[in-house]
Amino acid sequence: MKHKSTVFLLLFFSFVYANAQVSTTWKDIKGVVYEEIDTTSVFVENAIVRLLNPNDSTVIRYTSTNKNGLFSFPSTEKRDYLLSIAFIGYNTFYKNITPYSFQGESINLGEILLEESSLLLSEVTILGEVPELVVKEDTLEYNVAAFRMQESAVVEDLLKRLPGIEVEADGKITTTQGKAVPKVFVDGKEFFGKDPKVATKNITVDILDKVQVIEKKSDQELLTGVEDGEEEIIINLTIKKGMKKGWLGNATAGVGDFTDAERNDGARYAGNLFISRFLENDQITLVANSNNINNQAFADDGNQARSNMRGRGGGGGGNGLTSSSMAGLNVVGIVNDQLKMGGNIRYNYSDELVDRKSFRQNFMKDSVSYLESLSSDHGYSNNLVFDYKTEYNPDSLNAFVLTTGISYNNSRSIDHSYQSTLAGDEDSTRVNYSDAYTRLHSDGLTVNAELAYSRKFQRKGRRFSLTGTFNMNHNSGEGTNNSVNESFLNPSLNEYLDQESQNTSDRNSYGIRMTYVEPVWKTNNTLQFSYNLRYNHTDNVRETFDYDPETQTYSVLNSDYSKSLWNNFLTQTFGLNFNAVHAKYTYNIGLNVVPSHTQSTRYVKNGDIHGNDSILSEIPGRNVVNFSPQLSYTQRFTKEMNLRFTYRGNASQPSVSQLDPTPNNTNSMNIRYGNPDLLPSFSHNLSLRFNKNQREAQRALTSNLSFSFVQNQIINFTVYEDEDSIGIQTTVPINENGSWNASADLMYSMPLDAKKKFKFSTQTRFGYNNRIGYVMVNKQSERNISGTFSASENIGLSYSKDWFYGQFRGNIRYSNTSNSLEGRQDQSDTNFGLTYNTQLFFPYNWTFASDINYRGRRGLSAGYNTDEVVWNAEISKQFMSRKQATVRVKWNDILQQTLNINRTINANYIEDNEYNILSSYFLVSFAYRFNQMGNRRGSGERRANREDGDNVRSNSEYSPRQGQSRGGDGGGSRRR
């Protein structure tokens, strides 16, 4: 063992020596695949080539052929294989490879002929109903054909019907476990970067084969091959076979109005353009969208920028009335086997008006207070985004990946807000109120770049990678604030503001990451050493000037509203991981040691010139060392059943504002301090997931248990001042222990009849959340533990046949919150609903589609317990020779009952919110679609015209008619 450790250290510090050690048991396997069309030999592109275990047919490695029909398996271990080559419409080709085939420098199988299948494709596709859901180890795969959709349906319409997927009002996608989906891929390629709504709101369902929800490995893990715990949930849309070459597009234009005659918000309109050019591996897509029906088909960076400059959240969540326009171009190209490039550019504009009404109940053991608020926020934003990615593989051992992005946003907003604190007496006596009118104009520029290099070595499993990152973010804004804050019990706290402010924020970061992976003991066991260095610099400058009536200018510096922050943060991560991969199980165990250093200064820019202290507080240097363990284990019982356990430990540093002791009294009714004695919090996260899929029976089951608890959690400690100033609160962050949450999820789907026309799905979830908070008891803040139990059930039932599709989905969610302090009443609420979707297909190309949604709420504040029935319907007619044109009449919210209400619960208060929404309207639209996809054979080239550089044929004589090589490294080809 000591000898192995010594050799390993020598290899780790001497890469040149390591690279020179070439194992004679590793060879390349390559060949060319072609077909015969009218006596002409044509390359087959995108044929699936697999190396199988001849004992159980499990996949060991796989690849696909390029445009010249070439495939290659570099650095292949000397052992028995069964080679499989498959392509739609052709018989699968098989060939045995034995250890005796590993002679010479490589195994050249020469040219391999695929024979056309005698069974027509149309005869295969009608044998039975496809399953709605297939569960794999890290993937939920939905068959689009199982969900009958109208021609105009986009991906978002489909996602709303899928068990296990939730789509929020603003288009945000989450799983039933609450995990957000930040990206959408199309055939495994990023589509408009980190903006999933461009895909979900613009791509139509009719071109899709499957929707896959995948737990995607991080880019770093893909480079190193070792699990790092940074997985993310993504959606991959696969295009139907035969539709990956040619032009595809649709254009839609519609106009309408509100059905409520009293509304004078103007006509409703919607327009969409989607044009895509597919060349097998290459894609070019143009997207344009403009509407005022809240269909914001992009992420609004300007809305986020406005929220950051104001220091609070925006409307969002699909609330309010939104007009938006966008145009974007996405390009993915494979220049050759070594070079892949892709990128996108898009511009978008939005005009958003959000009106909000809320009612908050603040809990104290011996008293209760209430907070009523009204606000109206009108925001405008312009965004320009460019993303680019290049992958270069000069050979089978080296890889370079360059990712860059630039975005610019310009936004402005007008915000009017009012809030009032009420005492808990019988008359709800008003304690204080504030009335504010603000304007803000901001600009932002973000630039980021990442360059990654990965090096494989001749010994299987040995890798080295180096990654460098750079991020620059600059935001500037200016605005005005006219506000009144009055206290009826303590008039000395009254405040009247007329201000003008300028804000500048610069955040720059730099990082470098190195990893080295070494196989140990056996080639399927590896050790990973990693080092990560990241430096962040932040400089937030705020200058606020009060109005001077003598000079009639904003020239009096207000130091309370002019607090700037400078911060440096340096963190390093030293990691060691052991990874083992076996046929039936894999596991990973590792530990990260994370030392960090932070330094910050709170100051007033030019404060000394105006007679104020320039330096308000300093944290000269703070050093912390955290430990972050991780463990994962996956057991594969069969191909269709597996179990996975994960544990992640993660440390979180307090933010600079949480450490800063300087009072933040921009809201005189809620004064906030930081706490320089805060400790880092540490979260423990455990999960256990079980998947079982029965493909023939079309049954799929996935279940998940999760538990997490936090040490030294950072929570807010709030103190309400004495009786003379009731309603004024002071908040400071502190560390607390005792917060944890647990959940159990089960999702199951199955057909209910032999013909698999009726399909059933269920999702069950139980959860418990234990929170720590502080409330006032006899003018003292006391610790309270609030526990919230929740249970939910979602049931789906669908039926489909040639002329009809219908789906019922019912849901109910119950939650109950109890408190440890005596006198605190339990709070419970219930939400329930029923949805019915249907499509009816009539003669002469008429289609009727409708969805009815019933939602009820109980247990909320007075006036917020509501029932609503939202009914949407549309009728359409297809015409022209290939049904490429459609006229459609859509009526949204026929019964005019749409509401928008939500509830927030924590240990200190319960808050109910209501927003303005887009109510009943109708839209008449015309759509034109064209499809010139599927000309697959045109992709071939005559073998006689190919260049010698692409020719991997063996030097011996070859007879394409016989479909086998005479002599050569690969030996004769024979079929099963």
Side-chain angles (χ1 to χ4, degrees), residues 82-149:
L82 177 63
L83 177 75
S84 162
I85 304 176
F87 193 76
I88 188 170
Y90 290 82
N91 294 325
T92 301
F93 172 87
Y94 294 99
K95 175 179 175 57
N96 287 312
I97 297 175
T98 69
Y100 298 103
S101 304
F102 287 77
Q103 305 295 327
E105 296 182 357
S106 64
I107 301 176
N108 190 339
L109 300 177
E111 295 174 323
I112 299 170
L113 172 66
L114 292 186
E115 295 181 341
E116 190 169 1
S117 173
S118 60
L119 184 63
L120 297 179
L121 178 63
S122 59
E123 295 174 332
V124 176
T125 57
I126 61 174
L127 291 179
E129 293 289 321
V130 295
E132 288 187 353
L133 174 64
V134 175
V135 177
K136 301 180 180 179
E137 182 173 319
D138 57 358
T139 302
L140 297 179
E141 185 175 87
Y142 302 89
N143 288 294
V144 176
F147 301 87
R148 193 76 179 267
M149 305 291 294

Side-chain angles (χ1 to χ4, degrees), residues 7 73 108 152 170 221 317 377 455 690 757 884 933:
V7 172
F73 293 103
N108 190 339
S152 63
D170 62 349
E221 183 175 344
D377 183 12
R455 166 73 178 179
F690 175 77
K757 296 289 186 180
Q884 63 265 43
M933 305 288 283

Side-chain angles (χ1 to χ4, degrees), residues 168-171 294 315-322 352 900 915-918:
E168 298 181 10
D170 62 349
N294 283 26
N319 305 310
L321 297 176
T322 301
E352 182 183 39
N900 205 349
Y915 297 87
N916 65 321
I917 47 92
L918 181 70

Side-chain angles (χ1 to χ4, degrees), residues 356-359 371-375 418-420 911 913:
R356 172 176 170 266
K357 179 176 71 173
S358 70
F359 184 83
L371 181 67
E372 290 182 332
S373 64
L374 298 170
S375 67
Y418 171 88
Q419 68 178 34
S420 177
E911 183 175 73
N913 295 280

Side-chain angles (χ1 to χ4, degrees), residues 188-255:
K189 305 175 184 69
E190 278 196 30
F191 192 82
F192 283 96
K194 298 180 180 180
D195 194 348
K197 289 196 289 185
V198 177
T200 59
K201 290 180 176 288
N202 290 284
I203 295 179
T204 53
V205 174
D206 59 316
I207 70 169
L208 300 182
D209 179 32
K210 292 179 174 61
V211 175
Q212 299 171 328
V213 182
I214 303 171
E215 188 176 294
K216 178 183 173 294
K217 298 177 175 62
S218 69
D219 291 340
Q220 191 67 32
E221 183 175 344
L222 292 175
L223 279 174
T224 63
V226 177
E227 187 174 339
D228 60 6
E230 299 296 329
E231 296 88 0
E232 63 180 1
I233 303 297
I234 64 106
I235 285 179
N236 181 49
L237 309 173
T238 65
I239 306 299
K240 290 178 180 177
K241 296 184 184 301
M243 299 189 71
K244 297 182 181 180
K245 184 170 184 179
W247 288 93
L248 176 75
N250 63 76
T252 304
V255 65

Side-chain angles (χ1 to χ4, degrees), residues 569-574 593-597 623-626 653:
F569 182 73
L570 177 68
T571 181
Q572 302 176 82
T573 303
F574 300 87
V593 181
V594 188
S596 62
H597 174 84
N623 296 303
V624 177
V625 178
N626 292 308
Q653 294 288 338

